[in-house]
Amino acid sequence: MNKKVVVIGGGITGMEASVQLSALGYSVTILEKESQLGGHLKDWTVLFPNLRKGTEIVSFLEHGLELQEVNVIFNSKINEIKKINKHYEIIVEGRKTLVADAILVATGFDLFDAHRKEEFGYGIYENVITSYDLEKIFAKEGEIRTPSGIKPKRIGFIHCVGSRDEKVNNHYCSNVCCVTGVKQAMELKTLIPDAEIFNFYMDMRMFDTHFEELYLESQKKYGINFIRGRLSEANETIDKRIVIKVEDTLTSRPLKMTVDMMVLLVGMEPSKGTKEIANLLNLKMRESGFLKPEDDHTMSNVSNMPGVFFAGTCSGPMSIKYTFTDARAAVTKINCFLKEYELQNRILVN
Amino acid sequence: MTDFGFTINKPRVIDYDNTDKRVLKYLLAHEPSFNSCIFCGSCTATCSAGNFTDFNIRKLKIFIRRGLTEEIASEAEKCMLCGKCFLVCPRGVNNRNIILKVREALTKIESHEL
Amino acid sequence: MEEKRNIWKDYQKEIADDHYYYVRSCIRQSFFPASEEFFLKVLKDELGKDIFDDPNHTTCTGIGYHADVVPFETIMTVVARHFALMKESGYKNIIISCVTSFGIYTEIIETWKHFPEVLEKIRENLYKATKREFDIPLNMTHSSDIIYKFRNEIAEKANYKLINQLTGRPLNVVEHIGCHYSKMFPKYGVGGAEFPLVLAGMIKAWGGDVIDYPERRHCCGFGFRQYLVQANRGYSAANSKKKFESMEPYKPDLVLCNCPGCTMFMDKWQYTISELEGKTYGENNQGVPVLTYEELAGLVLGYNPWDLGLQFHQIQSEPLLRKMGIDFSPEDKYKTRSGIQMPMPECPANINF
């Protein structure tokens, strides 16, 4: 009989890993808490760095699931996970208990809740939106309007919202917001050619292939402006526009600017589901709440519980590209484990 | 007027909504490479004038971006036009021509052509 | 207001219901002399509370502390003495009548929490100097917290509302809580630091509209070490000017202040700005009245504005009184309680009285 793998979470990581595991001959079940697969991907219309449609990636993943036989349980809530000898029993509310020889945790991230940055006025000033809200505006098609209903002439993007910020207890960088700011600025400029668009940043972290080129293109071709200074507070004017207050660190002077719409580039946090599963399985977490591998260099994807692996953004912020890579890497680890290859216990000499 | 022994300080904040973008607009029309500047400062580091005076071409470019015309005028005259700043620029910004165009813009502003 | 509820629920502090020990402000007794008297009167007569105004307490020395002439250890010992006096008179809840003092008290209590050895040192200092011992208060509030707590009771007894009787519309009220009320420790302020509720709650309860203008959070410029040196006062006034410029489009009917220093400077700098720059804020160049929360509560409850000391302000409040429909007697404005005419102040060159 085929060995059984249960994948918790049906986002990019869960879907891709399931396809690969199934192709290797394992019997795979995805436990998804929502009523559909795809995770956050379905909320993003166009992806960096090449501005392809998000739906293309979804269809690629779905096609994989069609090719392979993967069992998906939607709307599932896991109540308990028990370790019995060498396998796990997963108790899903209202369902038959699942047995797994290996578990892949792929519970992903939650977007940072921008309400927590009180001084930025999200939820209070109507023309303060998040990068996620802007994607929904893009998805609607038609002319871009601010929440107040006007065609925006000036738009400000705020980087590092909920990232690199001790005040919200998130010390880490969310990796994808810088390039998202560049991408969304270019999209807006395409839709509203006479708009002035500003990105307010601490550092532009253009680390990956083609990111820097996209940044250059946004300046050269689209005339996007970049001001090095972190938002201190935002205020509302009498006509509901937003006053941005930063230090223009390159002139060493405070700067204020009124914009028609302010977009907060919200970062990633370990998802609620990640924390729940970590508690059920006693998984080690970093201070940030993301899952912690047994060794940062050599044991990525390997948890402290034998037979439990993890991949994707439950272990830290990453882009779609790295999510795919990480999912496939975890599959290799799971395969070694189930085939009882002794590769995992190699010796580290100090 | 009563003498209080003090006057009210002028604000240091750059009030972007109310600054003068004429030089910026002129420059973007006549030297589009200006858009590619990331204010890394390699131009300033190599600047002959900047090594012995307080001239800072990187800062001048920021003043242009922010529309601080007074500061632009006092900076733009300090350049000696050697061209090394263009040579070192990692993003191909024609700094030398920027100075020439800024001086042009300032003359036009003075003669009310801009 | 509705959308701010989520923030406010995170910053609800406990405010004791009765039996208070009261410590006064230095500045308020000179510049807004009726405010503290009225606070005691409202608590005792209108609300029937037990409050002790102890003649033995002193300044907290906060002005000296912020001007770098009183060391932290000294001010901690002065505050410890107030706590000792409170203990001796049998009280556990303290009301502080000044935002500067309140900020200092919160700073000290937080310091003691994190550095218990400092607390022990101060106990020793106080004992050596005075043979007194003290307890940390069970409940510590700023006097505006108390008015906030009883804002609805005051609204029930109100004779006047913050509504323009000529237009029927709510008055536009600017609230200014003062930096040291909650910027250092948001948890000690009602509503926190970014969207504070303490004054906004009173304004809403009494019928007015709260203005949220772009420089709402900005400091008034008081800042101690600035205004103490004449040459630096231009910096101080510039801060108030920034605020008045920013609130101008909203046509504020009044500014409601929390802190003695802010009330004084927001009021008096309007005169300075009018003299130095010829600019006068408010309708008809009359200035924008700046009131303490007790003065506003007094007007709402129907007290005589001259008994509330409004004539002691730089900016006169008659336009506000007329808007609220308050019946007042202009000829009594500069008379003592026994009816003796006091000297009348001169009218400034650029402010219409």
Side-chain angles (χ1 to χ4, degrees):
Chain A
M1 207 175 101
N2 288 346
K3 288 200 171 168
K4 296 186 181 69
V5 184
V6 169
V7 176
I8 304 173
I12 299 172
T13 307
M15 289 171 88
E16 179 61 13
S18 300
V19 174
Q20 304 275 349
L21 285 164
S22 182
L24 289 169
Y26 298 110
S27 159
V28 184
T29 304
I30 299 179
L31 295 178
E32 170 54 50
K33 66 174 166 49
E34 305 287 339
S35 56
Q36 54 177 324
L37 296 172
H40 294 272
L41 184 54
K42 55 186 185 291
D43 299 326
W44 298 82
T45 45
V46 170
L47 307 176
F48 62 77
N50 51 8
L51 308 184
R52 70 126 46 87
K53 289 200 171 97
T55 48
E56 286 178 30
I57 306 286
V58 179
S59 66
F60 173 84
L61 290 162
E62 282 171 348
H63 188 212
L65 291 175
E66 282 162 26
L67 291 175
Q68 297 302 325
E69 274 179 36
V70 174
N71 179 27
V72 185
I73 302 176
F74 290 104
N75 305 310
S76 59
K77 186 182 180 306
I78 301 171
N79 282 339
E80 203 185 340
I81 304 177
K82 286 191 254 186
K83 188 171 190 318
I84 310 227
N85 300 324
K86 286 182 90 176
H87 68 269
Y88 288 88
E89 283 186 12
I90 302 168
I91 298 156
V92 181
E93 201 167 281
R95 288 191 168 267
K96 222 171 72 191
T97 296
L98 289 165
V99 175
D101 298 295
I103 293 176
L104 176 65
V105 180
T107 41
F109 69 95
D110 284 342
L111 279 168
F112 175 76
D113 176 9
H115 291 97
R116 285 171 60 200
K117 291 302 293 176
E118 287 168 33
E119 64 273 33
F120 294 180
Y122 182 66
I124 291 175
Y125 303 139
E126 64 185 21
N127 291 310
V128 178
I129 65 167
T130 65
S131 40
Y132 172 78
D133 300 331
L134 183 59
E135 288 294 326
K136 282 195 285 192
I137 293 177
F138 287 147
K140 268 196 288 186
E141 293 185 2
E143 275 204 356
I144 298 286
R145 300 278 169 186
T146 66
S148 290
I150 63 155
K151 188 177 162 194
K153 285 238 173 299
R154 194 188 281 161
I155 300 138
F157 282 88
I158 308 298
H159 287 233
C160 297
V161 177
S163 309
R164 305 173 72 195
D165 184 357
E166 182 182 287
K167 289 287 147 64
V168 293
N169 203 24
N170 289 345
H171 296 262
Y172 53 85
C173 164
S174 286
N175 288 24
V176 298
C177 327
C178 278
V179 65
T180 299
V182 171
K183 183 212 79 157
Q184 291 189 333
M186 289 165 67
E187 285 178 276
L188 269 179
K189 184 76 182 175
T190 310
L191 294 164
I192 321 166
D194 59 345
E196 279 183 283
I197 301 178
F198 295 85
N199 274 251
F200 295 90
Y201 68 97
M202 295 203 278
D203 296 289
M204 289 300 291
R205 299 192 159 177
M206 297 287 132
F207 59 92
D208 204 7
T209 319
H210 201 61
F211 285 12
E212 182 67 22
E213 287 91 327
L214 199 72
Y215 176 27
L216 179 61
E217 191 186 342
S218 78
Q219 290 180 293
K220 239 176 155 163
K221 228 174 107 183
Y222 294 78
I224 309 296
N225 296 283
F226 292 86
I227 296 183
R228 200 185 80 185
R230 185 180 175 279
L231 182 67
S232 61
E233 64 173 53
N235 311 86
E236 194 179 57
T237 64
I238 197 161
D239 53 359
K240 305 262 176 215
R241 298 166 79 215
I242 304 299
V243 181
I244 285 174
K245 290 179 189 166
V246 297
E247 189 203 349
D248 183 5
T249 58
L250 298 174
T251 54
S252 312
R253 281 168 62 179
L255 179 144
K256 68 171 180 186
M257 177 192 286
T258 312
V259 296
D260 299 313
M261 185 164 80
M262 181 169 87
V263 185
L264 305 175
L265 292 161
V266 283
M268 293 184 184
E269 288 192 321
S271 70
K272 201 168 148 263
T274 298
K275 287 176 185 164
E276 284 167 8
I277 299 300
N279 280 334
L280 290 177
L281 280 165
N282 284 320
L283 300 181
K284 280 189 202 159
M285 286 183 279
R286 297 181 194 276
E287 212 180 308
S288 58
F290 289 111
L291 299 181
K292 187 173 163 47
E294 280 297 89
D295 183 288
D296 269 319
H297 291 112
T298 64
M299 290 289 166
S300 57
N301 311 108
V302 180
S303 84
N304 52 301
M305 296 295 286
V308 178
F309 301 83
F310 56 81
T313 50
C314 61
S315 68
M318 59 181 81
S319 64
I320 292 173
K321 174 177 132 180
Y322 289 106
T323 306
F324 268 98
T325 312
D326 204 43
R328 290 164 187 165
V331 167
T332 313
K333 286 284 181 202
I334 293 169
N335 192 30
C336 285
F337 171 78
L338 293 175
K339 293 210 156 62
E340 294 178 22
Y341 295 154
E342 287 294 325
L343 293 173
Q344 217 144 281
N345 304 321
R346 279 176 284 174
I347 297 162
L348 272 169
V349 179
N350 280 329
Chain B
M1 198 178 91
T2 315
D3 181 10
F4 289 95
F6 62 90
T7 55
I8 297 171
N9 294 24
K10 297 281 165 271
R12 276 192 78 248
V13 62
I14 299 172
D15 182 4
Y16 190 85
D17 301 345
N18 296 310
T19 56
D20 173 9
K21 315 293 187 313
R22 283 177 294 177
V23 177
L24 174 65
K25 276 187 193 143
Y26 188 81
L27 201 54
L28 290 175
H30 294 91
E31 186 44 69
S33 73
F34 182 61
N35 255 336
S36 306
C37 179
I38 48 170
F39 307 98
C40 68
S42 50
C43 46
T44 302
T46 195
C47 176
S48 314
N51 269 275
F52 298 99
T53 70
D54 64 358
F55 176 51
N56 185 323
I57 183 170
R58 192 268 303 155
K59 231 173 178 174
L60 166 64
K61 287 186 284 182
I62 287 274
F63 292 152
I64 297 165
R65 276 267 171 230
R66 306 294 178 258
L68 305 172
T69 310
E70 262 175 53
E71 286 86 342
I72 296 168
S74 64
E75 282 299 295
E77 61 192 26
K78 296 176 187 165
C79 168
M80 302 195 295
L81 294 169
C82 71
K84 184 72 196 292
C85 49
F86 184 22
L87 198 64
V88 295
C89 179
R91 283 194 153 207
V93 178
N94 191 340
N95 292 303
R96 189 175 185 276
N97 198 38
I98 283 173
I99 298 283
L100 294 172
K101 291 297 161 194
V102 166
R103 288 177 182 174
E104 244 173 61
L106 291 169
T107 314
K108 283 181 192 289
I109 286 173
E110 216 168 296
S111 58
H112 305 287
E113 284 172 68
L114 267 185
Chain C
M1 290 291 267
E2 283 305 309
E3 56 279 5
K4 292 169 190 159
R5 258 186 204 163
N6 277 331
I7 286 180
W8 290 335
K9 77 172 162 30
D10 291 341
Y11 297 101
Q12 287 303 319
K13 68 186 265 188
E14 208 184 310
I15 304 168
D17 191 49
D18 202 351
H19 308 295
Y20 311 107
Y21 183 84
Y22 187 54
V23 288
R24 287 181 176 243
S25 148
C26 304
I27 294 176
R28 264 148 59 91
Q29 296 177 67
S30 327
F31 288 97
F32 314 104
S35 287
E36 296 192 329
E37 278 314 303
F38 179 75
F39 180 79
L40 294 167
K41 188 175 167 52
V42 162
L43 254 70
K44 286 177 189 163
D45 299 351
E46 302 268 357
L47 301 166
K49 303 292 174 187
D50 163 33
I51 179 162
F52 181 43
D53 177 26
D54 187 350
N56 287 323
H57 92 272
T58 65
T59 170
C60 74
T61 69
I63 294 174
Y65 172 59
H66 286 301
D68 285 347
V69 294
V70 171
F72 192 39
E73 197 172 311
T74 309
I75 196 169
M76 282 194 284
T77 313
V78 172
V79 165
R81 181 177 167 275
H82 292 162
F83 291 160
L85 292 173
M86 181 176 78
K87 182 186 164 101
E88 288 160 19
S89 43
Y91 287 87
K92 290 189 161 109
N93 306 321
I94 196 165
I95 301 178
I96 301 154
S97 172
C98 163
V99 162
T100 302
S101 301
F102 182 72
I104 284 160
Y105 278 63
T106 56
E107 187 181 352
I108 290 173
I109 287 195
E110 284 295 305
T111 303
W112 290 348
K113 248 186 231 170
H114 293 278
F115 303 95
E117 69 279 10
V118 176
L119 173 59
E120 285 318 304
K121 180 86 197 326
I122 299 304
R123 286 192 193 284
E124 195 187 317
N125 285 357
L126 186 70
Y127 192 79
K128 277 184 183 161
T130 67
K131 296 280 180 290
R132 290 181 196 275
E133 289 178 24
F134 68 92
D135 291 333
I136 293 173
L138 199 64
N139 186 260
M140 188 167 78
T141 49
H142 185 253
S143 42
S144 58
D145 298 339
I146 303 289
I147 300 287
Y148 166 80
K149 185 181 174 77
F150 299 117
R151 67 197 185 283
N152 295 325
E153 284 84 338
I154 291 170
E156 276 168 27
K157 293 169 185 255
N159 286 314
Y160 301 100
K161 286 191 143 192
L162 301 180
I163 287 177
N164 189 329
Q165 296 302 315
L166 305 170
T167 62
R169 296 177 60 83
L171 294 178
N172 290 330
V173 188
V174 159
E175 49 90 25
H176 182 77
I177 57 155
C179 297
H180 290 182
Y181 175 68
S182 61
K183 280 184 187 169
M184 292 184 289
F185 302 103
K187 65 177 177 181
Y188 285 117
V190 178
E194 303 295 353
F195 295 93
L197 178 58
V198 61
L199 300 179
M202 295 177 205
I203 295 163
K204 273 318 243 189
W206 302 339
D209 269 352
V210 183
I211 291 173
D212 187 0
Y213 61 109
E215 299 298 346
R216 175 176 55 80
R217 296 173 181 127
H218 197 83
C219 171
C220 74
F222 186 67
F224 305 97
R225 69 190 71 206
Q226 286 80 38
Y227 78 81
L228 289 171
V229 179
Q230 188 190 42
N232 291 346
R233 286 177 197 160
Y235 160 79
S236 184
N239 284 281
S240 285
K241 181 183 158 189
K242 185 183 175 86
K243 294 182 73 69
F244 280 106
E245 297 280 331
S246 174
M247 71 176 82
E248 202 174 17
Y250 298 81
K251 299 189 170 43
D253 296 302
L254 90 129
V255 176
L256 179 61
C257 274
N258 205 23
C259 167
C262 309
T263 322
M264 179 170 101
F265 275 10
M266 299 273 283
D267 184 28
K268 297 199 188 306
W269 283 143
Q270 289 189 62
Y271 163 71
T272 311
I273 294 166
S274 79
E275 287 290 314
L276 285 175
E277 301 195 338
K279 169 75 189 178
T280 311
Y281 300 98
E283 284 171 286
N284 310 318
N285 290 339
Q286 286 166 319
V288 184
V290 182
L291 266 58
T292 69
Y293 42 91
E294 293 108 331
E295 288 167 345
L296 189 63
L299 288 181
V300 165
L301 286 169
Y303 283 76
N304 180 342
W306 313 139
D307 289 346
L308 292 167
L310 298 191
Q311 66 277 48
F312 286 88
H313 288 236
Q314 180 68 57
I315 301 300
Q316 298 303 303
S317 40
E318 280 91 337
L320 172 69
L321 303 180
R322 285 189 203 103
K323 284 178 201 164
M324 287 175 71
I326 292 174
D327 197 20
F328 64 96
S329 147
E331 57 275 14
D332 289 346
K333 185 171 180 183
Y334 297 109
K335 281 186 184 152
T336 63
R337 305 265 339 231
S338 50
I340 301 165
Q341 181 67 44
M342 294 187 285
M344 311 254 275
E346 261 180 67
C347 181
N350 297 321
I351 301 179
N352 282 337
F353 268 26

